[in-house]
Amino acid sequence: MGKLRAAITGINAWVPEYRLTNHELSRMVDTSDEWIMQRVGIKERRILKGDGLGSSDLGEQAVRGLLSKTGTSPDEIDLVICATITPDMFFPATANIISDKVGIKNAFSFDLAAACSGFLFALQTGATYIESGRYKKVIVVGADKMSSITDYSDRTTCPLFGDAAGAVLLEPTTEETGIMDYIFRSDGAGRKFLHIKAGGSIRPATHETVDAKEHFIYQEGQSVFKFAVVNMADIAAEIMERNNLRAEDIAWLVPHQANLRIIDATGRRMGLPPEKVMINIQNYGNTTAATIPLCLWEYESKLKKGDVLILAAFGGGFTWGSVYVKWAYDPK
Ligand code: UT7
């Protein structure tokens, strides 16, 4: 019998209906479709409108659809991990709220915060529970309502982000498929370039913090870009080397969608032709923990059993990583 691994046996994603186009943004701040397309590659992003709706509502839709698509009863789920940096509230965990909304009652659940690398870190965490042999069905969901922390009067950040959720089901396999390897890194020194200034324990919310717009994303874009473009490409190349993978062995690069130029640099570093790189940033922007499952979901019908995928991300923290996956099923 082969080694016990965690295989992705189902994928689903959900995006809200409202499309915030570059055209609409150019009426809100001093920007243009041309600038955003040239520098970032985003055409539109989805926004969750409506009072009282949060990341759990995005996650609920993704998980509900995943359960129905895979014919899984909520009672069968052992564990739910939600990667998010926009939790519904400080506590309880958004994973708990999603579980309650979809009727998952025999599981434990928790959140994991690693910004744009959150889905990859959560995926491997879920996989480790499966590999332990104690857990049979784990849901990993990436859900971020980025519009809740975006300042729509700041042209340097507001074109970048969108709202979405994506979820995968992990199950054990002894076949040569599933999550094969991963490399992760964090560097807290990067926090100065990308963070939210107030609302945490270091600077709780006050009238002053609200007036100063300190509850929104603060990003020094150029600095983050320099770290992202090098580290995401390096860590994707590193996992290839460690597993003796050549460019021709790889079916798909599944990159975090923050900037088309970072994605292109990663693909080039790996020696991959553009047609092997999953890209949907133009339609959704940077949805933080949701970008990678959103890509997998859109490309699912093209994936075949045994396909070699390299998942790669870079984000706030800094955090970055790559995961080597052998896809576990043919298109249904
Ligand atoms: O996923 C989490 C990790 N985050 C990332 O990976 C993001 C990494 N960073 C980036 O993707 C890029 O740095 C940005 C897309 C955020 C910005 O692109 P850039 O090419 O680094 O632009 P810049 O910040 O160097 O700005 C260039 C110019 C500036 O004008 P001046 O000083 O040259 O006159 C900006 O003021 O572009 C200006 N600018 C804009 N112009 C029109 C900045 N934002 C805009 C805008 N529309 N929205």
Side-chain angles (χ1 to χ4, degrees):
M1 207 169 74
K3 184 175 184 271
L4 186 65
R5 290 197 171 88
I8 296 173
T9 55
I11 171 91
N12 193 50
W14 193 82
V15 292
E17 247 172 63
Y18 191 83
R19 294 161 194 259
L20 176 58
T21 61
N22 289 350
H23 180 68
E24 187 178 349
L25 273 176
S26 70
R27 282 186 271 132
M28 296 157 64
V29 290
D30 180 15
T31 191
S32 64
D33 176 59
E34 195 191 1
W35 190 95
I36 301 171
M37 282 305 286
Q38 268 180 12
R39 300 285 182 128
V40 208
I42 302 171
K43 201 79 194 158
E44 60 183 32
R45 58 297 283 147
R46 301 297 183 96
I47 304 294
L48 184 62
K49 297 263 187 183
D51 288 340
L53 298 177
S55 294
S56 76
D57 297 285
L58 301 165
E60 175 194 354
Q61 298 295 338
V63 171
R64 201 181 280 289
L66 178 70
L67 291 171
S68 115
K69 198 173 159 183
T70 56
T72 308
S73 156
D75 294 340
E76 295 176 72
I77 301 300
D78 301 309
L79 165 62
V80 178
I81 307 174
C82 180
T84 186
I85 51 155
T86 52
D88 280 14
M89 43 188 93
F90 265 129
F91 73 90
T94 299
N96 291 36
I97 302 171
I98 294 171
S99 296
D100 178 53
K101 287 182 173 173
V102 303
I104 293 174
K105 298 214 181 299
N106 298 326
F108 71 111
S109 48
F110 59 88
D111 288 357
L112 188 153
C116 300
S117 308
F119 182 78
L120 293 191
F121 288 17
L123 182 68
Q124 181 53 43
T125 305
T128 305
Y129 280 94
I130 296 277
E131 288 160 9
S132 76
R134 262 183 80 173
Y135 301 88
K136 301 283 179 264
K137 288 185 196 285
V138 172
I139 288 180
V140 177
V141 48
D144 271 306
K145 185 186 170 189
M146 294 304 292
S147 61
S148 67
I149 54 168
T150 299
D151 176 0
Y152 287 98
S153 66
D154 173 14
R155 72 170 184 172
T156 68
T157 52
C158 75
L160 306 176
F161 300 101
D163 302 338
V168 296
L169 180 63
L170 294 176
E171 293 181 89
T173 182
T174 50
E175 293 186 350
E176 269 293 296
T177 59
I179 292 159
M180 311 298 285
D181 194 16
Y182 66 97
I183 306 174
F184 293 153
R185 302 263 191 282
S186 301
D187 179 2
R191 69 190 182 280
K192 67 172 177 280
F193 302 114
L194 181 51
H195 58 262
I196 293 180
K197 293 195 181 300
S201 56
I202 200 171
R203 195 160 159 72
T206 61
H207 289 294
E208 287 71 33
T209 63
V210 172
D211 290 345
K213 299 186 172 176
E214 290 180 351
H215 298 272
F216 294 122
I217 297 166
Y218 169 85
Q219 174 169 254
E220 292 178 26
Q222 267 191 23
S223 303
V224 177
F225 185 91
K226 281 182 203 148
F227 282 99
V229 83
V230 172
N231 286 316
M232 195 161 118
D234 279 358
I235 209 154
E238 191 181 339
I239 206 160
M240 285 174 72
E241 281 156 30
R242 186 155 97 176
N243 291 279
N244 296 316
L245 294 169
R246 296 157 306 165
E248 51 272 34
D249 301 323
I250 293 169
W252 294 101
L253 164 65
V254 192
H256 170 56
Q257 313 276 309
N259 188 316
L260 195 54
R261 291 181 287 147
I262 300 173
I263 296 171
D264 287 346
T266 304
R268 275 199 307 275
R269 175 75 200 278
M270 296 167 74
L272 296 180
E275 60 273 16
K276 285 190 172 187
V277 182
M278 291 189 189
I279 294 173
N280 61 11
I281 188 172
Q282 67 282 3
N283 297 327
Y284 307 112
N286 182 350
T287 57
T288 303
T291 57
I292 288 177
L294 196 52
C295 271
L296 289 172
W297 171 68
E298 283 210 327
Y299 283 77
E300 186 186 17
S301 63
K302 296 186 195 257
L303 298 174
K304 297 185 298 298
K305 187 171 179 176
D307 274 357
V308 170
L309 275 53
I310 301 294
L311 285 42
F314 182 92
F318 293 134
T319 57
W320 64 106
S322 56
V323 178
Y324 161 26
V325 172
K326 267 198 192 170
W327 197 247
Y329 59 95
D330 285 319
K332 303 224 161 88

